[in-house]
Amino acid sequence: MAEMTLLNRYLTASINQDLAEKIVFLGGPRQVGKTTLALSLLEGADESHPAYLNWDLYETQRMLLDGGLPADQSLLIFDEIHKYRHWRNLVKGFYDKFKSTKRFLITGSARLDHYRRGGDSLQGRYHYYRLHPFSLYELNNKPTRSDLSVLLRYGGFPEPFLKQNARHWKRWQRERQSRVIQEDLINLENVKEVSQLDLLVRMLPDKVSSILSLNKLKQDLSVAYETVDRWITILENLYYCFRISPYGLPRLRAVKKERKLYLWDWSLCGDESARFENLVASHLLKYCHFREDTEGSEMELRFVRDAIGRELDFVVVENDKPLFAVECKTGNRNLSRNIAYFSQRTDIPYYYQVHTEDRDYERAELKARVLPLTRFCELLKL
């Protein structure tokens, strides 16, 4: 089941369709499966296929800068080309010249919409997709508690998930973190304090699910507030972490500036509750990105917190209007008092309280349902 999913990711059909009319950008964290997805469009080819052009290889750089492209290839995959300062102008030239005969897929382990390097010369010529780790519904359209247990333990990145080996997971984590810091960050950002940024990365798993205090981080790292904020933004652009902002609700004294932090790889969280909440956050962000990238909807993942600390973990927002809220609990529990409170004072249409056990019931008068996360993901196809 998992191997089939790996070869046919949830974005494959949409990307294949869009390649017929525009360039496709495929971004996402390092080792999330971008190259595997791209090569699957070449009927399961490997990295030696002539249509796969990796910018990290000198011979590829020389050929592309000389204006050459492989012969007899209708689909071309440019991997990590965003590391070249003028990559957009280079791709634009190829696309404008060959768009009637060739299709172009650009992949990279950073936000390709951010690393423009001197302007967006490709405006109007591309569709952008963000590839996420495995989620419950992608693995199994009838997800089980066993699926959830494995996903919580090893994360949703293909290699450690498929191996399901603790020793391999630890080694993979160390190697991936080193490559994010030593390769991606140094290639793309002007950062001199690499050792301190590496320390920040090691500190972030303990900050997951709570309000992120940049003032506390600046003290721990002995740097300026603006420096910490810039470093976190860099890590967001490299798909290492993401922050969500509060959603201001009418008639409530809601927090407006504080943000919460989550990791793209929730398996790094040592605390069980934080890991579960991070997994739910990642599933909901994947839902928002999928709808944005395939439908063009304006989606946001937010949270709600009032002035005295009552909080809803997540609110999914479309076009500035709330669709539903989600509260996370690791075990069988009664409906959260916060859901009861906010349901009577806000215009959020519906509330879900998700957990890891079996209870499933609805409180219609509060527009709320308590249910297993597996069932929730099946309903929303997360």
Side-chain angles (χ1 to χ4, degrees), residues 334-352:
N334 293 328
L335 186 70
S336 166
R337 292 180 179 179
N338 289 344
I339 289 181
Y341 176 84
F342 286 114
S343 70
Q344 297 172 354
R345 292 167 175 82
T346 74
D347 60 350
I348 297 175
Y350 204 77
Y351 298 78
Y352 296 96

Side-chain angles (χ1 to χ4, degrees), residues 51-287:
Y52 176 71
L53 305 171
N54 188 340
W55 183 258
D56 290 335
L57 301 178
Y58 173 72
E59 55 267 30
T60 297
Q61 296 180 20
R62 187 172 60 182
M63 178 180 67
L64 294 179
L65 292 177
D66 286 343
L69 290 175
D72 303 321
Q73 302 298 326
S74 60
L75 171 62
L76 297 173
I77 299 167
F78 293 173
D79 193 11
E80 302 293 333
I81 196 173
H82 63 283
K83 294 176 181 177
Y84 173 53
R85 182 172 183 82
H86 303 293
W87 72 275
R88 288 189 171 238
N89 287 332
L90 183 64
V91 171
K92 176 181 179 293
F94 285 132
Y95 177 72
D96 288 347
K97 185 174 182 179
F98 298 108
K99 61 185 176 182
S100 61
T101 58
K102 296 186 183 295
R103 299 175 297 156
F104 296 86
L105 175 59
I106 316 297
T107 68
S109 53
R111 279 188 52 193
L112 299 174
D113 57 337
H114 173 77
Y115 291 103
R116 296 178 177 177
R117 305 280 182 155
D120 195 353
S121 60
L122 289 171
Q123 188 64 42
R125 292 174 171 85
Y126 67 88
H127 292 299
Y128 186 44
Y129 287 89
R130 290 157 287 190
L131 184 64
H132 282 250
F134 289 142
S135 55
L136 281 166
Y137 188 83
E138 186 181 3
L139 292 170
N140 187 350
N141 59 16
K142 294 283 185 180
T144 66
R145 286 175 64 179
S146 177
D147 295 327
L148 174 58
S149 177
V150 174
L151 209 56
L152 278 169
R153 173 66 182 86
Y154 295 105
F157 285 71
E159 185 177 331
F161 177 84
L162 294 172
K163 290 279 188 182
Q164 295 182 23
N165 178 280
R167 177 173 173 269
H168 178 273
W169 175 84
K170 290 179 183 178
R171 298 174 71 185
W172 181 88
Q173 289 290 355
R174 289 175 61 87
E175 291 164 3
R176 177 176 176 271
Q177 181 169 307
S178 176
R179 294 187 69 184
V180 168
I181 298 297
Q182 300 298 329
E183 294 182 28
D184 297 338
L185 189 147
I186 291 176
N187 279 328
L188 294 169
E189 296 284 352
N190 182 22
V191 175
K192 298 179 180 179
E193 311 88 342
V194 175
S195 61
Q196 283 182 290
L197 215 150
D198 184 65
L199 177 59
L200 171 62
V201 165
R202 297 176 189 277
M203 295 167 62
L204 290 184
D206 292 332
K207 311 298 181 183
V208 163
S209 82
S210 58
I211 299 296
L212 183 65
S213 172
L214 295 183
N215 283 318
K216 180 66 167 61
L217 283 174
K218 80 168 188 178
Q219 294 172 3
D220 293 340
L221 296 167
S222 300
V223 296
Y225 179 96
E226 293 76 14
T227 300
V228 174
D229 190 41
R230 182 172 72 91
W231 287 353
I232 295 288
T233 301
I234 288 172
L235 293 173
E236 289 178 312
N237 291 334
L238 295 176
Y239 292 110
Y240 189 83
C241 61
F242 60 94
R243 286 178 284 184
I244 65 173
S245 300
Y247 180 66
L249 290 164
R251 298 172 294 157
L252 283 180
R253 293 174 57 210
V255 169
K256 296 181 180 179
K257 294 184 179 180
E258 297 174 329
R259 291 194 280 179
K260 295 170 67 176
L261 176 131
Y262 298 94
L263 305 177
W264 279 75
D265 185 359
W266 57 81
S267 69
L268 289 167
C269 301
D271 180 79
E272 179 183 352
S273 296
R275 187 186 304 182
F276 179 67
E277 185 175 322
N278 199 146
L279 180 145
V280 175
S282 297
H283 278 55
L284 293 173
L285 185 68
K286 184 176 183 177
Y287 172 79

Side-chain angles (χ1 to χ4, degrees), residues 279-297:
L279 180 145
V280 175
S282 297
H283 278 55
L284 293 173
L285 185 68
K286 184 176 183 177
Y287 172 79
C288 291
H289 283 176
F290 180 76
R291 292 199 53 194
E292 280 189 334
D293 297 345
T294 61
E295 301 173 10
S297 302

